[in-house]
Amino acid sequence: MPQARLIDGKAIAAALRSEIAAEIAGIRAASGRVPGLHVVLVGDDPASRVYVASKEKLAVEVGLNSVAHRLPAETTQAELLAKLAELNADDAVDGILVQLPLPKHLDTAAVIDAIDPAKDVDGLHPLNAGRLAGGKIDPEHLLVPCTPLGSMLLLKSVLPALSGLEAVVIGRSELVGRPVAQLLLQADCTVTIAHSRTRDLAAVVRRADIVVAAVGRPGFVRGDWIKPGATVIDVGINRLPDGKLTGDVAFAE
């Protein structure tokens, strides 16, 4: 079997950060203001703390004005909605990101609904989700979830044309599966969304030119499911009992 070729995600990310930094510098030179990203973290979930710290670091690296609002775990629904209303009304705030998951006593759907769609950098507001489903890929009016958008950037880095390719997305979450399927469809792929109830999943995946694995199960997608020459994007981040991180695809296979 020929050796698989790895996509250099780190190099692509570095180039993207440079591009964004130059764009932000241009905005600052033209308007005298720095775009502001505000992240809201409720509670003290260890993984969420790490994610927020990483986002803060990257935002500063590209020149954004990054602000984190760390709220106690006992924050009420009314208090959180009031904070979002404050950020929505603040012209210095260009982007709002509420770190998920929220504590169980909070209504996540209502919180997402409360974010100004124009500032919803996660692209989860029903208006943004609806525009994406309707094929309205307009950077001026639509914010797309970052992981699906990143997956498309990786695919386009190695596939000069996506049109006509058969794509299988394993997973139907609102965060990754559904939006990446919409983006692939708009790139003129033939798209199948597979999930836990899909019959003979291995056979479905073997048809695919593109496989996006976003199921959240370590090593779930086996090597013999992938046809020769297919391109695989493994979105999964799973922590094993020994603390190591692994994806949804059996990488060694």
Side-chain angles (χ1 to χ4, degrees):
M1 178 179 290
Q3 182 69 32
R5 179 164 65 99
L6 289 176
I7 300 173
D8 191 345
K10 290 183 178 180
I12 295 168
L16 182 61
R17 288 196 297 272
S18 295
E19 180 183 326
I20 293 170
E23 187 173 346
I24 291 171
I27 293 171
R28 184 171 187 171
S31 66
R33 69 182 295 272
V34 179
L37 172 66
H38 287 238
V39 179
V40 179
L41 173 63
V42 184
D44 202 35
D45 178 78
S48 291
R49 286 206 320 269
V50 172
Y51 292 144
V52 169
S54 175
K55 289 167 185 173
E56 285 182 290
K57 179 183 177 183
L58 289 172
V60 170
E61 182 181 324
V62 298
L64 285 171
N65 177 27
S66 176
V67 179
H69 303 269
R70 292 176 168 83
L71 307 179
E74 59 271 18
T75 297
T76 66
Q77 184 84 5
E79 289 169 336
L80 180 53
L81 294 180
K83 170 57 71 175
L84 292 176
E86 174 190 322
L87 298 176
N88 285 340
D90 188 344
D91 290 339
V93 178
D94 298 279
I96 300 169
L97 189 156
V98 176
Q99 182 63 45
L100 302 177
L102 291 169
K104 292 184 178 180
H105 69 280
L106 297 173
D107 183 342
T108 299
V111 169
I112 292 171
D113 287 357
I115 301 171
D116 181 345
K119 299 184 178 186
D120 165 40
V121 294
D122 265 339
L124 296 178
H125 189 281
L127 185 58
N128 283 320
R131 284 171 170 162
L132 179 61
K136 306 298 184 184
I137 302 299
D138 178 358
E140 295 296 321
H141 300 100
L142 173 66
L143 291 165
V144 178
C146 62
T147 300
L149 188 59
S151 298
M152 295 299 294
L153 290 174
L154 293 173
L155 286 170
K156 290 175 181 178
S157 75
V158 293
L159 295 172
L162 301 182
S163 179
L165 297 182
E166 185 159 2
V168 171
V169 178
I170 310 172
R172 49 182 170 178
S173 71
E174 293 180 357
L175 288 172
V176 180
R178 294 171 191 263
V180 81
Q182 294 292 344
L183 292 172
L184 287 163
L185 187 63
Q186 288 159 30
D188 295 324
C189 292
T190 299
V191 182
T192 300
I193 301 179
H195 45 78
S196 60
R197 302 294 180 88
T198 299
R199 294 180 181 178
D200 198 357
L201 179 59
V204 172
V205 175
R206 287 190 188 104
R207 301 197 311 257
D209 304 299
I210 295 168
V211 178
V212 180
V215 70
R217 295 174 62 181
F220 178 72
V221 179
R222 312 308 302 188
D224 63 2
W225 293 13
I226 308 299
K227 79 175 183 181
T231 302
V232 181
I233 303 296
D234 187 353
V235 176
I237 301 178
N238 308 289
R239 191 171 295 279
L240 299 175
D242 62 5
K244 293 181 180 179
L245 292 176
T246 188
D248 289 347
V249 179
F251 183 82
E253 297 177 10

PDB file of all heavy atoms in Angstrom, residues 7-37:
ATOM      1  N   ILE A   7      -1.411  16.208   5.310  1.00  0.00           N
ATOM      2  CA  ILE A   7      -1.657  17.630   5.095  1.00  0.00           C
ATOM      3  C   ILE A   7      -0.943  18.388   6.215  1.00  0.00           C
ATOM      4  O   ILE A   7      -1.115  18.060   7.393  1.00  0.00           O
ATOM      5  CB  ILE A   7      -3.158  17.944   5.125  1.00  0.00           C
ATOM      6  CG1 ILE A   7      -3.884  17.163   4.029  1.00  0.00           C
ATOM      7  CG2 ILE A   7      -3.409  19.440   4.965  1.00  0.00           C
ATOM      8  CD1 ILE A   7      -5.400  17.279   4.100  1.00  0.00           C
ATOM      9  N   ASP A   8      -0.163  19.397   5.864  1.00  0.00           N
ATOM     10  CA  ASP A   8       0.587  20.159   6.870  1.00  0.00           C
ATOM     11  C   ASP A   8      -0.310  21.254   7.449  1.00  0.00           C
ATOM     12  O   ASP A   8      -0.266  22.405   7.034  1.00  0.00           O
ATOM     13  CB  ASP A   8       1.850  20.754   6.243  1.00  0.00           C
ATOM     14  CG  ASP A   8       2.804  21.325   7.291  1.00  0.00           C
ATOM     15  OD1 ASP A   8       2.368  21.516   8.449  1.00  0.00           O
ATOM     16  OD2 ASP A   8       3.971  21.574   6.963  1.00  0.00           O
ATOM     17  N   GLY A   9      -1.124  20.860   8.408  1.00  0.00           N
ATOM     18  CA  GLY A   9      -2.064  21.807   9.003  1.00  0.00           C
ATOM     19  C   GLY A   9      -1.382  22.952   9.717  1.00  0.00           C
ATOM     20  O   GLY A   9      -1.864  24.096   9.705  1.00  0.00           O
ATOM     21  N   LYS A  10      -0.244  22.681  10.348  1.00  0.00           N
ATOM     22  CA  LYS A  10       0.456  23.745  11.074  1.00  0.00           C
ATOM     23  C   LYS A  10       0.926  24.849  10.127  1.00  0.00           C
ATOM     24  O   LYS A  10       0.830  26.031  10.450  1.00  0.00           O
ATOM     25  CB  LYS A  10       1.630  23.162  11.852  1.00  0.00           C
ATOM     26  CG  LYS A  10       1.207  22.309  13.041  1.00  0.00           C
ATOM     27  CD  LYS A  10       2.415  21.816  13.823  1.00  0.00           C
ATOM     28  CE  LYS A  10       1.972  20.999  15.034  1.00  0.00           C
ATOM     29  NZ  LYS A  10       3.131  20.497  15.816  1.00  0.00           N
ATOM     30  N   ALA A  11       1.427  24.460   8.970  1.00  0.00           N
ATOM     31  CA  ALA A  11       1.888  25.452   8.003  1.00  0.00           C
ATOM     32  C   ALA A  11       0.719  26.277   7.464  1.00  0.00           C
ATOM     33  O   ALA A  11       0.823  27.500   7.296  1.00  0.00           O
ATOM     34  CB  ALA A  11       2.622  24.761   6.852  1.00  0.00           C
ATOM     35  N   ILE A  12      -0.402  25.595   7.210  1.00  0.00           N
ATOM     36  CA  ILE A  12      -1.586  26.303   6.714  1.00  0.00           C
ATOM     37  C   ILE A  12      -2.096  27.279   7.771  1.00  0.00           C
ATOM     38  O   ILE A  12      -2.460  28.416   7.467  1.00  0.00           O
ATOM     39  CB  ILE A  12      -2.672  25.289   6.319  1.00  0.00           C
ATOM     40  CG1 ILE A  12      -2.198  24.448   5.126  1.00  0.00           C
ATOM     41  CG2 ILE A  12      -3.995  25.986   5.987  1.00  0.00           C
ATOM     42  CD1 ILE A  12      -3.058  23.240   4.831  1.00  0.00           C
ATOM     43  N   ALA A  13      -2.103  26.840   9.028  1.00  0.00           N
ATOM     44  CA  ALA A  13      -2.556  27.714  10.113  1.00  0.00           C
ATOM     45  C   ALA A  13      -1.646  28.935  10.264  1.00  0.00           C
ATOM     46  O   ALA A  13      -2.117  30.056  10.471  1.00  0.00           O
ATOM     47  CB  ALA A  13      -2.607  26.927  11.425  1.00  0.00           C
ATOM     48  N   ALA A  14      -0.341  28.708  10.161  1.00  0.00           N
ATOM     49  CA  ALA A  14       0.601  29.820  10.296  1.00  0.00           C
ATOM     50  C   ALA A  14       0.395  30.844   9.182  1.00  0.00           C
ATOM     51  O   ALA A  14       0.418  32.062   9.421  1.00  0.00           O
ATOM     52  CB  ALA A  14       2.032  29.296  10.278  1.00  0.00           C
ATOM     53  N   ALA A  15       0.182  30.352   7.958  1.00  0.00           N
ATOM     54  CA  ALA A  15      -0.054  31.265   6.839  1.00  0.00           C
ATOM     55  C   ALA A  15      -1.350  32.041   7.032  1.00  0.00           C
ATOM     56  O   ALA A  15      -1.418  33.240   6.737  1.00  0.00           O
ATOM     57  CB  ALA A  15      -0.098  30.468   5.528  1.00  0.00           C
ATOM     58  N   LEU A  16      -2.370  31.359   7.552  1.00  0.00           N
ATOM     59  CA  LEU A  16      -3.652  32.019   7.786  1.00  0.00           C
ATOM     60  C   LEU A  16      -3.522  33.093   8.855  1.00  0.00           C
ATOM     61  O   LEU A  16      -4.072  34.199   8.710  1.00  0.00           O
ATOM     62  CB  LEU A  16      -4.696  30.981   8.193  1.00  0.00           C
ATOM     63  CG  LEU A  16      -6.115  31.500   8.426  1.00  0.00           C
ATOM     64  CD1 LEU A  16      -6.677  32.137   7.162  1.00  0.00           C
ATOM     65  CD2 LEU A  16      -7.014  30.357   8.896  1.00  0.00           C
ATOM     66  N   ARG A  17      -2.778  32.790   9.928  1.00  0.00           N
ATOM     67  CA  ARG A  17      -2.584  33.799  10.980  1.00  0.00           C
ATOM     68  C   ARG A  17      -1.857  35.022  10.429  1.00  0.00           C
ATOM     69  O   ARG A  17      -2.191  36.161  10.777  1.00  0.00           O
ATOM     70  CB  ARG A  17      -1.814  33.194  12.153  1.00  0.00           C
ATOM     71  CG  ARG A  17      -2.628  32.217  12.978  1.00  0.00           C
ATOM     72  CD  ARG A  17      -1.984  31.944  14.326  1.00  0.00           C
ATOM     73  NE  ARG A  17      -0.678  31.317  14.204  1.00  0.00           N
ATOM     74  CZ  ARG A  17      -0.485  30.003  14.129  1.00  0.00           C
ATOM     75  NH1 ARG A  17      -1.523  29.174  14.132  1.00  0.00           N
ATOM     76  NH2 ARG A  17       0.731  29.498  14.042  1.00  0.00           N
ATOM     77  N   SER A  18      -0.885  34.801   9.572  1.00  0.00           N
ATOM     78  CA  SER A  18      -0.168  35.929   8.969  1.00  0.00           C
ATOM     79  C   SER A  18      -1.097  36.775   8.114  1.00  0.00           C
ATOM     80  O   SER A  18      -1.047  38.022   8.144  1.00  0.00           O
ATOM     81  CB  SER A  18       1.004  35.418   8.124  1.00  0.00           C
ATOM     82  OG  SER A  18       1.968  34.776   8.920  1.00  0.00           O
ATOM     83  N   GLU A  19      -1.949  36.114   7.358  1.00  0.00           N
ATOM     84  CA  GLU A  19      -2.911  36.812   6.500  1.00  0.00           C
ATOM     85  C   GLU A  19      -3.885  37.643   7.344  1.00  0.00           C
ATOM     86  O   GLU A  19      -4.173  38.810   7.027  1.00  0.00           O
ATOM     87  CB  GLU A  19      -3.663  35.783   5.668  1.00  0.00           C
ATOM     88  CG  GLU A  19      -4.701  36.349   4.723  1.00  0.00           C
ATOM     89  CD  GLU A  19      -5.454  35.254   3.997  1.00  0.00           C
ATOM     90  OE1 GLU A  19      -4.845  34.210   3.694  1.00  0.00           O
ATOM     91  OE2 GLU A  19      -6.662  35.442   3.742  1.00  0.00           O
ATOM     92  N   ILE A  20      -4.382  37.043   8.427  1.00  0.00           N
ATOM     93  CA  ILE A  20      -5.319  37.751   9.296  1.00  0.00           C
ATOM     94  C   ILE A  20      -4.637  38.924   9.982  1.00  0.00           C
ATOM     95  O   ILE A  20      -5.214  40.016  10.098  1.00  0.00           O
ATOM     96  CB  ILE A  20      -5.914  36.773  10.330  1.00  0.00           C
ATOM     97  CG1 ILE A  20      -6.806  35.748   9.629  1.00  0.00           C
ATOM     98  CG2 ILE A  20      -6.714  37.525  11.393  1.00  0.00           C
ATOM     99  CD1 ILE A  20      -7.238  34.606  10.514  1.00  0.00           C
ATOM    100  N   ALA A  21      -3.392  38.721  10.438  1.00  0.00           N
ATOM    101  CA  ALA A  21      -2.659  39.797  11.103  1.00  0.00           C
ATOM    102  C   ALA A  21      -2.476  40.992  10.172  1.00  0.00           C
ATOM    103  O   ALA A  21      -2.618  42.154  10.591  1.00  0.00           O
ATOM    104  CB  ALA A  21      -1.304  39.284  11.580  1.00  0.00           C
ATOM    105  N   ALA A  22      -2.180  40.720   8.901  1.00  0.00           N
ATOM    106  CA  ALA A  22      -2.020  41.804   7.934  1.00  0.00           C
ATOM    107  C   ALA A  22      -3.341  42.532   7.701  1.00  0.00           C
ATOM    108  O   ALA A  22      -3.375  43.775   7.592  1.00  0.00           O
ATOM    109  CB  ALA A  22      -1.484  41.240   6.617  1.00  0.00           C
ATOM    110  N   GLU A  23      -4.439  41.778   7.665  1.00  0.00           N
ATOM    111  CA  GLU A  23      -5.750  42.401   7.470  1.00  0.00           C
ATOM    112  C   GLU A  23      -6.118  43.282   8.666  1.00  0.00           C
ATOM    113  O   GLU A  23      -6.638  44.387   8.499  1.00  0.00           O
ATOM    114  CB  GLU A  23      -6.798  41.314   7.268  1.00  0.00           C
ATOM    115  CG  GLU A  23      -8.168  41.860   6.892  1.00  0.00           C
ATOM    116  CD  GLU A  23      -9.148  40.761   6.521  1.00  0.00           C
ATOM    117  OE1 GLU A  23      -8.716  39.612   6.305  1.00  0.00           O
ATOM    118  OE2 GLU A  23     -10.356  41.064   6.445  1.00  0.00           O
ATOM    119  N   ILE A  24      -5.835  42.792   9.872  1.00  0.00           N
ATOM    120  CA  ILE A  24      -6.146  43.575  11.073  1.00  0.00           C
ATOM    121  C   ILE A  24      -5.289  44.831  11.121  1.00  0.00           C
ATOM    122  O   ILE A  24      -5.770  45.917  11.477  1.00  0.00           O
ATOM    123  CB  ILE A  24      -5.949  42.712  12.334  1.00  0.00           C
ATOM    124  CG1 ILE A  24      -7.029  41.630  12.385  1.00  0.00           C
ATOM    125  CG2 ILE A  24      -5.997  43.570  13.599  1.00  0.00           C
ATOM    126  CD1 ILE A  24      -6.809  40.590  13.456  1.00  0.00           C
ATOM    127  N   ALA A  25      -4.007  44.709  10.734  1.00  0.00           N
ATOM    128  CA  ALA A  25      -3.139  45.885  10.695  1.00  0.00           C
ATOM    129  C   ALA A  25      -3.676  46.924   9.722  1.00  0.00           C
ATOM    130  O   ALA A  25      -3.616  48.143   9.981  1.00  0.00           O
ATOM    131  CB  ALA A  25      -1.723  45.467  10.306  1.00  0.00           C
ATOM    132  N   GLY A  26      -4.232  46.451   8.603  1.00  0.00           N
ATOM    133  CA  GLY A  26      -4.817  47.367   7.626  1.00  0.00           C
ATOM    134  C   GLY A  26      -6.038  48.079   8.176  1.00  0.00           C
ATOM    135  O   GLY A  26      -6.222  49.289   7.953  1.00  0.00           O
ATOM    136  N   ILE A  27      -6.873  47.344   8.919  1.00  0.00           N
ATOM    137  CA  ILE A  27      -8.050  47.953   9.549  1.00  0.00           C
ATOM    138  C   ILE A  27      -7.616  49.016  10.555  1.00  0.00           C
ATOM    139  O   ILE A  27      -8.176  50.126  10.608  1.00  0.00           O
ATOM    140  CB  ILE A  27      -8.907  46.874  10.242  1.00  0.00           C
ATOM    141  CG1 ILE A  27      -9.529  45.941   9.200  1.00  0.00           C
ATOM    142  CG2 ILE A  27      -9.991  47.513  11.117  1.00  0.00           C
ATOM    143  CD1 ILE A  27     -10.217  44.734   9.797  1.00  0.00           C
ATOM    144  N   ARG A  28      -6.610  48.676  11.327  1.00  0.00           N
ATOM    145  CA  ARG A  28      -6.117  49.623  12.346  1.00  0.00           C
ATOM    146  C   ARG A  28      -5.558  50.887  11.696  1.00  0.00           C
ATOM    147  O   ARG A  28      -5.817  52.002  12.157  1.00  0.00           O
ATOM    148  CB  ARG A  28      -5.041  48.946  13.182  1.00  0.00           C
ATOM    149  CG  ARG A  28      -4.533  49.796  14.332  1.00  0.00           C
ATOM    150  CD  ARG A  28      -3.624  48.982  15.241  1.00  0.00           C
ATOM    151  NE  ARG A  28      -3.261  49.732  16.425  1.00  0.00           N
ATOM    152  CZ  ARG A  28      -2.624  49.214  17.476  1.00  0.00           C
ATOM    153  NH1 ARG A  28      -2.294  47.917  17.462  1.00  0.00           N
ATOM    154  NH2 ARG A  28      -2.319  49.949  18.517  1.00  0.00           N
ATOM    155  N   ALA A  29      -4.809  50.712  10.602  1.00  0.00           N
ATOM    156  CA  ALA A  29      -4.230  51.871   9.913  1.00  0.00           C
ATOM    157  C   ALA A  29      -5.307  52.747   9.284  1.00  0.00           C
ATOM    158  O   ALA A  29      -5.203  53.978   9.285  1.00  0.00           O
ATOM    159  CB  ALA A  29      -3.249  51.390   8.848  1.00  0.00           C
ATOM    160  N   ALA A  30      -6.353  52.111   8.768  1.00  0.00           N
ATOM    161  CA  ALA A  30      -7.391  52.857   8.063  1.00  0.00           C
ATOM    162  C   ALA A  30      -8.381  53.532   9.006  1.00  0.00           C
ATOM    163  O   ALA A  30      -8.886  54.622   8.713  1.00  0.00           O
ATOM    164  CB  ALA A  30      -8.139  51.927   7.112  1.00  0.00           C
ATOM    165  N   SER A  31      -8.671  52.871  10.143  1.00  0.00           N
ATOM    166  CA  SER A  31      -9.740  53.381  11.010  1.00  0.00           C
ATOM    167  C   SER A  31      -9.270  53.850  12.385  1.00  0.00           C
ATOM    168  O   SER A  31     -10.017  54.504  13.113  1.00  0.00           O
ATOM    169  CB  SER A  31     -10.803  52.292  11.209  1.00  0.00           C
ATOM    170  OG  SER A  31     -10.252  51.204  11.949  1.00  0.00           O
ATOM    171  N   GLY A  32      -8.056  53.463  12.752  1.00  0.00           N
ATOM    172  CA  GLY A  32      -7.550  53.835  14.069  1.00  0.00           C
ATOM    173  C   GLY A  32      -8.084  52.977  15.197  1.00  0.00           C
ATOM    174  O   GLY A  32      -7.838  53.257  16.374  1.00  0.00           O
ATOM    175  N   ARG A  33      -8.817  51.926  14.882  1.00  0.00           N
ATOM    176  CA  ARG A  33      -9.350  51.046  15.916  1.00  0.00           C
ATOM    177  C   ARG A  33      -8.940  49.594  15.662  1.00  0.00           C
ATOM    178  O   ARG A  33      -8.640  49.217  14.542  1.00  0.00           O
ATOM    179  CB  ARG A  33     -10.867  51.139  16.010  1.00  0.00           C
ATOM    180  CG  ARG A  33     -11.616  50.571  14.829  1.00  0.00           C
ATOM    181  CD  ARG A  33     -13.129  50.747  14.955  1.00  0.00           C
ATOM    182  NE  ARG A  33     -13.668  49.995  16.068  1.00  0.00           N
ATOM    183  CZ  ARG A  33     -14.061  48.714  15.975  1.00  0.00           C
ATOM    184  NH1 ARG A  33     -13.963  48.074  14.829  1.00  0.00           N
ATOM    185  NH2 ARG A  33     -14.570  48.098  17.016  1.00  0.00           N
ATOM    186  N   VAL A  34      -8.912  48.835  16.743  1.00  0.00           N
ATOM    187  CA  VAL A  34      -8.535  47.425  16.666  1.00  0.00           C
ATOM    188  C   VAL A  34      -9.787  46.580  16.871  1.00  0.00           C
ATOM    189  O   VAL A  34     -10.517  46.784  17.847  1.00  0.00           O
ATOM    190  CB  VAL A  34      -7.493  47.073  17.745  1.00  0.00           C
ATOM    191  CG1 VAL A  34      -7.132  45.591  17.683  1.00  0.00           C
ATOM    192  CG2 VAL A  34      -6.250  47.932  17.581  1.00  0.00           C
ATOM    193  N   PRO A  35     -10.081  45.639  15.977  1.00  0.00           N
ATOM    194  CA  PRO A  35     -11.245  44.776  16.189  1.00  0.00           C
ATOM    195  C   PRO A  35     -11.165  44.047  17.521  1.00  0.00           C
ATOM    196  O   PRO A  35     -10.088  43.613  17.945  1.00  0.00           O
ATOM    197  CB  PRO A  35     -11.168  43.789  15.015  1.00  0.00           C
ATOM    198  CG  PRO A  35     -10.381  44.500  13.962  1.00  0.00           C
ATOM    199  CD  PRO A  35      -9.382  45.327  14.713  1.00  0.00           C
ATOM    200  N   GLY A  36     -12.311  43.922  18.177  1.00  0.00           N
ATOM    201  CA  GLY A  36     -12.351  43.325  19.507  1.00  0.00           C
ATOM    202  C   GLY A  36     -13.090  42.002  19.536  1.00  0.00           C
ATOM    203  O   GLY A  36     -14.220  41.902  19.061  1.00  0.00           O
ATOM    204  N   LEU A  37     -12.433  40.967  20.075  1.00  0.00           N
ATOM    205  CA  LEU A  37     -13.049  39.660  20.281  1.00  0.00           C
ATOM    206  C   LEU A  37     -13.254  39.443  21.768  1.00  0.00           C
ATOM    207  O   LEU A  37     -12.301  39.499  22.550  1.00  0.00           O
ATOM    208  CB  LEU A  37     -12.165  38.543  19.721  1.00  0.00           C
ATOM    209  CG  LEU A  37     -12.608  37.103  20.031  1.00  0.00           C
ATOM    210  CD1 LEU A  37     -13.935  36.796  19.338  1.00  0.00           C
ATOM    211  CD2 LEU A  37     -11.543  36.103  19.611  1.00  0.00           C
TER     212      LEU A  37
END
